[in-house]
Amino acid sequence: MASKVVHAIYNDDDILMQAVKQTRAERYHIEEVYTPFPVHGLDKIMGLEPTRLAITAFMYGLVGLSVAVTMMNFIMIEDWPQDIGGKPSFSYIENMPAFVPIMFELTVFFAAHLMVITFYMRSKLWPFKKAENPDIRTTDDHFLMAVDGGNHDLEKLSKFLYDTGALEISIVESEDDH
C-alpha cells in the first residue's frame, strides 16, 4: 500500500535541527533525515534509541579471545608441545604471558571484522544495493527531512514545514515495506 511522504529540503544544519524539534513538538512522524555530513545531536533530537553496537563489539571480542585461548592451548600445549628456549610447554597457564599478544590481536580482529559485518547487515547495506537517497543534493550541501504524510492534511503540513525554514517541499508516494 502506498502512502504519502513529504520531503522538506533545508540548506543549513542549525535550521534543520530547529525544524526537527518543531516537527516532533507538533507530533508529526519523521521517517528519515538525510544529511551530507554527520549532524551531532540529531539522533537525540529525533528521539532515536542509543545504539547497541558497543555491546555486540564486546561480545565479538569475547568470541575472539575464546578462539585465541582455545587455538593456542590446542596448538602449543596439546597437539604439538615444543621446548622453546628451555621453557617446556607443560600447561597453558605457565605459557600464558607469551600468548598475550596473540590473545589481544585475535580479540581485536574478531571484534573489528564482525562489527563491520553486523553494521552492514543492520543498515541493510548489501552488495550491489541500489542507493535509497531521495535527492542527490543531500550528498553535497542540502538536508532533507522525510515526514510521514499519513492521515494529515498535506497542505497544512507543507505550510508548517515552510514555516520551519524549508526551502522547498515535495510530496512523493512511498511504498510501505512493513
Side-chain angles (χ1 to χ4, degrees):
M1 181 171 124
S3 63
K4 302 269 187 190
V5 176
V6 180
H7 289 172
I9 300 280
Y10 298 88
N11 65 351
D12 184 65
D13 58 333
D14 293 328
I15 296 172
L16 172 74
M17 294 284 273
Q18 275 304 118
V20 169
K21 286 179 188 176
Q22 293 170 358
T23 305
R24 284 193 30 101
E26 291 292 319
R27 303 275 191 244
Y28 291 117
H29 175 68
I30 300 172
E31 287 191 358
E32 188 66 74
V33 176
Y34 298 89
T35 64
F37 54 82
V39 178
H40 299 289
L42 183 61
D43 54 341
K44 288 186 182 7
I45 292 173
M46 287 180 65
L48 300 176
E49 293 181 13
T51 180
R52 294 183 300 269
L53 287 176
I55 297 168
T56 60
F58 179 73
M59 292 189 307
Y60 293 153
L62 289 178
V63 169
L65 181 64
S66 301
V67 168
V69 168
T70 304
M71 177 189 74
M72 289 181 300
N73 184 53
F74 178 75
I75 293 171
M76 298 299 290
I77 306 301
E78 294 176 18
D79 187 43
W80 196 281
Q82 298 179 22
D83 186 356
I84 300 172
K87 298 177 185 171
S89 297
F90 292 131
S91 72
Y92 180 81
I93 295 297
E94 290 175 332
N95 293 297
M96 194 173 72
F99 298 153
V100 169
I102 299 167
M103 291 188 300
F104 172 77
E105 292 298 333
L106 280 180
T107 300
V108 172
F109 179 85
F110 271 69
H113 286 79
L114 292 174
M115 280 301 298
V116 168
I117 293 168
T118 301
F119 175 75
Y120 284 144
M121 288 174 49
R122 181 71 180 96
S123 301
K124 298 178 183 149
L125 294 173
W126 314 115
F128 311 108
K129 184 176 188 290
K130 184 181 176 292
E132 295 178 4
N133 193 349
D135 193 318
I136 193 68
R137 294 176 291 177
T138 60
T139 62
D140 187 24
D141 62 350
H142 282 72
F143 305 84
L144 185 140
M145 179 170 53
V147 180
D148 181 21
N151 300 329
H152 302 291
D153 179 12
L154 295 179
E155 285 186 31
K156 181 180 172 188
L157 177 57
S158 297
K159 182 179 179 340
F160 168 76
L161 291 173
Y162 272 123
D163 291 343
T164 64
L167 298 178
E168 65 182 75
I169 305 289
S170 59
I171 300 170
V172 296
E173 292 284 332
S174 172
E175 287 294 323
D176 287 341
D177 57 352
H178 300 288

